[in-house]
Amino acid sequence: MADELRARIRSGALRPGERMPTQAQLAHEFGVERGAVRQALRILQSERLLTNVSKGSPATVAPDPARALTGPQAPPLPTTVALAPRIATAFAAEHVEIDAVCLTAISLTLAIGEPLRQIHAGRLKPAKVDVRVLLPSRDIDLAFPVPVGGHGDDSVHERWLAMRNAQGQVLQHNLLALRSTHGIDVHVTFRALPFTPPVKLYLLNNTEALFAYYTLMRREAEIDHEHLEMYDAQGTQSMLFSFQQGPGLRDTTFVEQSHLWFNALWETISSELVLTS
């Protein structure tokens, strides 16, 4: 229920400052008890998407839900929740600049869908979009994902490579399509890293850095009709921490140093990346 209401807020179906349906109406719509409604509303209140959550009058959508997900006072949230609204906000600029370091680009590809919908709806119209993505090279021994038994089985690596290429191709296609559909000057570039990044990093318009750890877990997956145990990271669920340039020295320095780190990797040890098998 919280996921559905969060999606309505992010999409604009529930507008900033709008009063929510009553708890009775929500309970009837979702077919749940009042306690479940209150729990869902408290979750969204903790994310600063709702205000005035109480047993009395209906809650209210936050004045600026997109920015409610970031900043030093906002709680860290899973990548699938936090990234899309931040990317959409970045696309409000005339010149959009996004740099990313990640394992497969799946979170970025999913998050780009939100500003694309807003562009097609006429709510956003950037003049230029520059996207740079650093992904692991296909030629390295990945630290993860790997079979629990070691590097002897290539199927896990091939599965990761297919996902890396597919997500990168979808991201590239969806963004470059804006050239013909909306006349936007779009450039998307990938380069390959000679190591497995232990973290994911998204840099938005030179003013914001979003950072998350890849936390490993042991899990089972079916590959070529065989069940294999592997060490892997659930990147879409990684908790995303936001740092923004502004009066706070800590956040500003983190954003600046993150850009220096990304540019150093881009200009030195990274290599050309072709999104093919």
Side-chain angles (χ1 to χ4, degrees), residues 2 51 191 219:
T51 61
R191 287 187 68 79
R219 70 183 187 90

Side-chain angles (χ1 to χ4, degrees), residues 49-128:
L49 294 174
L50 292 179
T51 61
N52 302 327
V53 174
S54 68
K55 294 183 179 180
S57 60
T60 303
V61 179
D64 191 348
R67 299 201 67 82
L69 295 174
T70 65
Q73 301 304 316
L77 297 168
T79 301
T80 50
V81 176
L83 187 57
R86 298 312 310 141
I87 295 286
T89 299
F91 266 76
E94 184 173 357
H95 182 189
V96 182
E97 296 180 85
I98 297 176
D99 296 332
V101 181
C102 42
L103 188 66
T104 62
I106 184 171
S107 295
L108 182 59
T109 301
L110 291 172
I112 286 288
E114 179 64 22
L116 291 181
R117 285 189 290 272
Q118 296 195 30
I119 288 173
H120 291 303
R123 291 192 292 267
L124 292 174
K125 183 63 187 295
K128 186 176 183 180

Side-chain angles (χ1 to χ4, degrees), residues 139-158 196 228-231:
D139 300 321
I140 65 173
D141 287 333
L142 289 173
F144 59 89
V146 291
V148 170
H151 289 275
D153 193 327
D154 289 337
S155 60
V156 173
H157 186 278
E158 293 302 316
T196 310
L228 294 176
E229 287 214 314
M230 66 176 73
Y231 294 117

Side-chain angles (χ1 to χ4, degrees), residues 10-61:
R10 283 169 45 186
S11 68
L14 289 169
R15 298 183 300 277
E18 180 180 353
R19 297 185 73 177
M20 296 282 291
T22 66
Q23 293 185 15
Q25 290 171 326
L26 290 171
H28 176 74
E29 177 185 353
F30 287 93
V32 298
E33 299 295 329
R34 291 280 191 96
V37 174
R38 287 193 289 271
Q39 183 177 3
L41 295 178
R42 283 196 293 267
I43 290 171
L44 298 181
Q45 182 181 41
S46 72
E47 297 172 5
R48 291 177 171 81
L49 294 174
L50 292 179
T51 61
N52 302 327
V53 174
S54 68
K55 294 183 179 180
S57 60
T60 303
V61 179

Side-chain angles (χ1 to χ4, degrees), residues 185-197:
D185 184 14
V186 179
H187 300 272
V188 185
T189 312
F190 297 87
R191 287 187 68 79
L193 290 170
F195 62 88
T196 310

Side-chain angles (χ1 to χ4, degrees), residues 195-237:
F195 62 88
T196 310
V199 298
K200 55 167 58 178
L201 177 70
Y202 308 97
L203 304 171
L204 311 180
N205 293 345
N206 298 305
T207 61
E208 185 172 9
L210 302 169
F211 173 91
Y213 293 102
Y214 280 120
T215 302
L216 297 186
M217 62 177 61
R218 182 168 176 159
R219 70 183 187 90
E220 186 177 279
E222 184 176 340
I223 304 176
D224 296 332
H225 306 293
E226 292 186 20
H227 290 275
L228 294 176
E229 287 214 314
M230 66 176 73
Y231 294 117
D232 199 3
Q234 296 295 317
T236 58
Q237 296 303 312

